[in-house]
Amino acid sequence: MAVNELYKRTKESLSRLGLGLTYKEEKVSKMKGEFFIKLNHEDGSVEERHIHNIIVEDASLLIARLLADGQTSIDPAGPAHGIFVLAVGTGNPVWPDKNNPPAPTVTQHILESELSRKRFANVNFVKTDGSGLPSSTVTNIIDFQAVFNESEAVGSIMELSMFGGDASDTQADSGTMINYRTIPVINKPNTATLSIIFRLTT
């Protein structure tokens, strides 16, 4: 048997056994996020929601900038922040049903109509045992909490997002979007407090 034919058959046999001669790249990133939302009303009643979201494509740009740490000629300063603010919006005015908005997409860059944004009140590492409790050591789970007081973010909220990089806590649409989620409308009056925790698992 010719050497080339023997090599070909050996390669095919190894491939069938799952021992391919070429390296198969595996997807390692499992980054995901979820929101815990509480709307606390003046009368003591509470509206709660727990929803998962999607990590958008732009998040990888912020990760790359953080890893480069300002050592490149095209981005010598590096990003000003990691994840920095939480923004809420009222959605696109053409959406026909406020209780059934379009699904979020990974190509989103900014909110459709940003209403308000807030820097986090608390950022904590979280235990990996499923308890959701703060951890005294670094883990791969982080809770980012933002609280909008009575006079803040008043309106019909239908979208949520986190921004980092060169994001400002006062300038709408600034920074790099990390995640995005559309939601059935939450009507926040000026007598309620809105608390949102974004839990990121990397």
Side-chain angles (χ1 to χ4, degrees):
M1 182 182 296
V3 174
N4 288 344
E5 182 65 21
L6 178 61
Y7 172 79
K8 180 180 178 182
R9 291 190 181 184
T10 303
K11 183 176 179 180
E12 289 173 351
S13 297
L14 289 172
S15 180
R16 286 194 294 271
L17 290 171
L19 301 173
L21 297 179
T22 56
Y23 173 74
K24 182 179 180 181
E25 184 176 358
E26 298 291 341
K27 184 176 181 180
V28 176
S29 176
K30 297 180 181 179
M31 194 161 63
K32 61 182 180 179
E34 53 190 321
F35 285 108
F36 299 86
I37 303 171
K38 283 187 179 182
L39 185 63
N40 297 278
H41 290 279
E42 188 178 31
D43 62 4
S45 61
V46 181
E47 295 180 48
E48 294 188 67
R49 296 189 193 179
H50 173 214
I51 54 176
H52 292 270
N53 76 144
I54 61 172
I55 305 298
V56 298
E57 292 176 344
D58 282 359
S60 63
L61 300 179
L62 179 56
I63 293 171
R65 294 182 68 203
L66 287 167
L67 292 175
D69 194 28
Q71 299 179 84
T72 68
S73 59
I74 62 172
D75 189 25
H81 313 285
I83 299 177
F84 186 62
V85 296
L86 185 148
V88 298
T90 56
N92 194 313
V94 304
W95 291 350
D97 186 353
K98 289 189 173 184
N99 287 307
N100 188 29
T105 67
V106 297
T107 56
Q108 195 82 16
H109 299 289
I110 59 174
L111 297 182
E112 295 290 331
S113 182
E114 187 170 320
L115 173 65
S116 183
R117 57 174 48 200
K118 195 76 180 281
R119 189 172 177 176
F120 306 116
N122 296 290
V123 178
N124 294 301
F125 286 102
V126 178
K127 292 183 177 180
T128 59
D129 59 4
S131 66
L133 296 173
S135 171
S136 59
T137 59
V138 174
T139 70
N140 68 322
I141 307 172
I142 312 171
D143 274 358
F144 301 85
Q145 182 187 32
V147 179
F148 295 91
N149 297 321
E150 288 86 348
S151 61
E152 299 171 323
V154 175
S156 301
I157 297 169
M158 297 178 64
E159 52 182 346
L160 308 166
S161 180
M162 313 287 282
F163 288 87
D166 303 313
S168 162
D169 57 359
T170 57
Q171 183 180 347
D173 300 332
S174 64
T176 302
M177 178 178 276
I178 307 302
N179 64 335
Y180 185 63
R181 176 66 197 225
T182 54
I183 58 172
V185 65
I186 295 176
N187 292 303
K188 182 187 179 300
N190 61 5
T191 55
T193 299
L194 179 65
S195 173
I196 302 174
I197 294 176
F198 172 66
R199 180 167 295 164
L200 177 68
T201 302
T202 62

